Amino acid sequence: MTAPRPALRRRFLGPPGSLQRRLLLAAGAFLGIALVAAGLSIGFILHRFVRGQVDGRLDDRILSLVSDLRPAPGGGLSLGRDRDGPPFDRPRSGWYWQIRRGEARLGSAALEGRDLAVPEIAGRRRKSEEPVPADGVGPWGESLILRVLTLPGKGDAAPTVLVASAPTAALRGPVLEALRTLAACLGVIGLFLFAGVLVQIRLGLRPLLRLRDQLAAVRTGGLHRLPERQPAEVRPLVAEMNALLDQNAANLDHARAHVANLAHGLKTPLATLSLALADAPSDRDGALARLVEGMDRRIRHHLRRARAAAVGGPVRARAELAAHVADLCLVLGRLHAGKDIAFAADVPGDLALACDPQDLDEMLGNLIENACQWCRGRVRIAARRLGTEVVVRIEDDGPGLPDGVRDAILQRGRRLDESQPGHGFGLPIALELAAFYGGSLVLDTSDLGGLAVRVTLPA
């Protein structure tokens, strides 16, 4: 199947508003104007050249008539020899000649005895050393090209007017034939020129496309700065972007210092409170201590998010997925050693996420721990890259969740089973972190029988 015409036009010219489209349209317009102007100029030159050839042929005929012109008895006209050679011997062909002096006339056989009308403009030229051009109409209404020579008479004798004619087709035919060939040649030249312009524009815009890819690499963590080896026209822009990246890095370090100070200022009182509650007789069941521990954990979580948001989001962060999954499976397997959980991890080693490593541990840790808590003995983690995203799927063989409660379980503090340990913050925190990085979290049913959690994050 062929691609739709708008898709081909978009692929050839580029998207609307693009530099490539503007440059190509402007180049096409100027090339078209230049080729039309060249065609008109060459056509005018061809017309003059062919007209000169026709006029020269008619002038030769007139000059030969003058050389053979003889006086006849009674003031008539005669020729020393026959001048009706081709093409002047073909009747009604438009190739005629005629000599007139007063009432005396001589004409070519092609006229069949008819008179060739001479325009008034030629009759007014009383003296002329060479033939002059004119246009006329033949005896049968055909359009003619004329050359007229007027020789003055001796004394009171009437002037002698010699006329030679050619059909207009003798001029238009060769010119039109040449113009058709010229148009085909100019069209081929125009296509080659436009192809050259297209190649030139794409080569000229290639540094911008390469710069776009380098900026994407900076955003995803593949590069820290843009390479300084750039074309001279792009180099100032790259220098400004690198200066902006350096400024953002300085802002990040400054924000991290403030976050560290804030963390120190909050965690020290919390640690003191935790020690005080450990010996307090009023907190024998440890409820207050667990609340303090939860406060500490959430403070650390939000401080990490504030640190990332200080520079506009999780830019240039990078985390190797396989290593984090392996570490979490090892740690959580030991914490749930009583269940003897069988972990199955299918994570390619080259998958990397544009995500802070601590936030990735927070997300996957909550999800894998939740799977370990509810599974009967099997937990499966798989990851695949789809375009610019990575999809991580965590499944267990536990009881799963009914469709009606999946949205409710993602709300903070909602727990389906109060007998199980926890506070109901694991899934909501993972959902918030995934959304923070531009991803998503979806609950589904696993083919193992339990719950399947699908997390999508930027690669």
Side-chain angles (χ1 to χ4, degrees):
M1 295 177 63
T2 59
R5 186 172 299 177
L8 283 176
R9 186 164 55 247
R10 182 184 180 90
R11 182 178 179 182
F12 182 73
L13 295 178
S18 65
L19 289 177
Q20 177 175 322
R21 178 182 285 258
R22 294 178 182 180
L23 292 174
L24 282 177
L25 292 178
F30 283 116
L31 279 176
I33 294 173
L35 291 175
V36 170
L40 293 177
S41 301
I42 297 174
F44 176 74
I45 294 172
L46 285 174
H47 184 275
R48 293 198 61 180
F49 176 78
V50 176
R51 178 64 185 260
Q53 295 293 316
V54 173
D55 288 347
R57 189 172 184 179
L58 296 178
D59 289 349
D60 290 341
R61 176 59 49 148
I62 290 177
L63 293 178
S64 66
L65 291 173
V66 171
S67 64
D68 290 339
L69 186 61
R70 300 285 186 271
L77 298 172
S78 65
L79 294 174
R81 56 178 174 172
D82 184 18
R83 287 292 177 181
D84 279 336
F88 294 92
D89 57 347
R90 296 196 296 267
R92 303 188 183 187
S93 62
W95 294 94
Y96 311 129
W97 61 265
Q98 178 179 277
I99 304 173
R100 184 177 64 184
R101 180 189 296 166
E103 296 299 327
R105 284 180 176 81
L106 285 178
S108 62
L111 284 172
E112 297 181 346
R114 299 197 180 195
D115 187 28
L116 183 61
V118 180
E120 296 251 345
I121 187 172
R124 292 197 298 267
R125 296 290 296 268
R126 294 300 180 185
K127 295 181 180 181
S128 177
E129 296 181 355
E130 58 183 30
V132 296
D135 295 322
V137 179
W140 292 276
E142 65 270 41
S143 178
L144 299 178
I145 299 171
L146 302 178
R147 297 290 288 182
V148 182
L149 177 63
T150 302
L151 299 176
K154 295 179 180 180
D156 295 333
T160 303
V161 179
L162 297 92
V163 183
S165 69
T168 306
L171 172 64
R172 292 179 180 175
V175 171
L176 290 177
E177 183 65 27
L179 286 179
R180 280 193 289 267
T181 306
L182 175 65
C185 294
L186 288 179
V188 174
I189 293 173
L191 288 178
F192 277 104
L193 289 176
F194 192 78
V197 170
L198 176 62
V199 173
Q200 182 180 7
I201 289 175
R202 291 193 172 180
L203 288 177
L205 294 180
R206 185 170 295 176
L208 295 180
L209 300 178
R210 184 168 59 247
L211 181 61
R212 179 196 63 187
D213 296 336
Q214 291 168 350
L215 281 173
V218 170
R219 180 178 60 84
T220 57
L223 293 174
H224 294 289
R225 301 178 85 251
L226 293 174
E228 295 182 358
R229 187 176 180 181
Q230 304 284 351
E233 294 79 5
V234 184
R235 205 173 297 149
L237 176 63
V238 172
E240 291 295 329
M241 289 183 177
N242 282 333
L244 179 61
L245 292 173
D246 294 338
Q247 182 179 359
N248 283 345
N251 291 338
L252 176 61
D253 293 337
H254 188 64
R256 283 175 175 170
H258 280 287
V259 167
N261 294 334
L262 180 60
H264 179 74
L266 289 176
K267 293 180 68 176
T268 300
L270 283 175
T272 304
L273 182 60
S274 178
L275 292 174
L277 289 175
D279 298 330
S282 59
D283 190 31
R284 294 177 182 178
D285 57 354
L288 294 178
R290 288 194 298 272
L291 288 176
V292 171
E293 181 183 357
M295 289 171 60
D296 180 68
R297 179 169 58 84
R298 284 190 288 275
I299 286 173
R300 284 187 283 110
H301 165 71
H302 288 289
L303 286 178
R304 285 196 300 271
R305 291 187 60 180
R307 178 182 60 193
V311 289
V315 293
R316 292 187 287 171
R318 181 181 177 89
E320 302 292 338
L321 182 59
H324 286 266
V325 170
D327 291 343
L328 289 172
C329 289
L330 180 63
V331 173
L332 293 174
R334 291 178 180 177
L335 290 177
H336 296 272
K339 278 192 173 183
D340 193 18
I341 300 174
F343 289 95
D346 181 14
V347 181
D350 59 345
L351 280 185
L353 299 175
C355 178
D356 183 80
Q358 296 181 1
D359 287 341
L360 180 62
D361 286 339
E362 184 87 19
M363 278 186 287
L364 296 183
N366 283 328
L367 298 177
I368 298 177
E369 183 177 8
N370 185 72
C372 292
Q373 181 178 344
W374 292 98
C375 74
R376 293 187 176 90
R378 295 176 62 191
V379 174
R380 184 167 64 193
I381 303 105
R384 291 290 181 273
R385 178 164 183 160
L386 298 176
T388 59
E389 296 179 333
V390 174
V391 178
V392 183
R393 188 176 177 90
I394 302 171
E395 305 173 74
D396 62 71
D397 60 348
L401 286 176
D403 294 340
V405 299
R406 289 176 182 171
D407 293 336
I409 201 65
L410 293 177
Q411 299 177 9
R412 281 185 172 270
R414 293 296 300 271
R415 299 169 59 198
L416 296 182
D417 190 353
E418 298 292 340
S419 64
Q420 294 291 335
H423 300 281
F425 289 100
L427 287 176
I429 288 176
L431 175 61
E432 288 182 5
L433 283 174
F436 172 69
Y437 285 97
S440 61
L441 185 147
V442 178
L443 302 181
D444 201 354
T445 301
S446 169
D447 55 7
L448 298 178
L451 182 66
V453 182
R454 186 174 71 251
V455 183
T456 304
L457 294 169

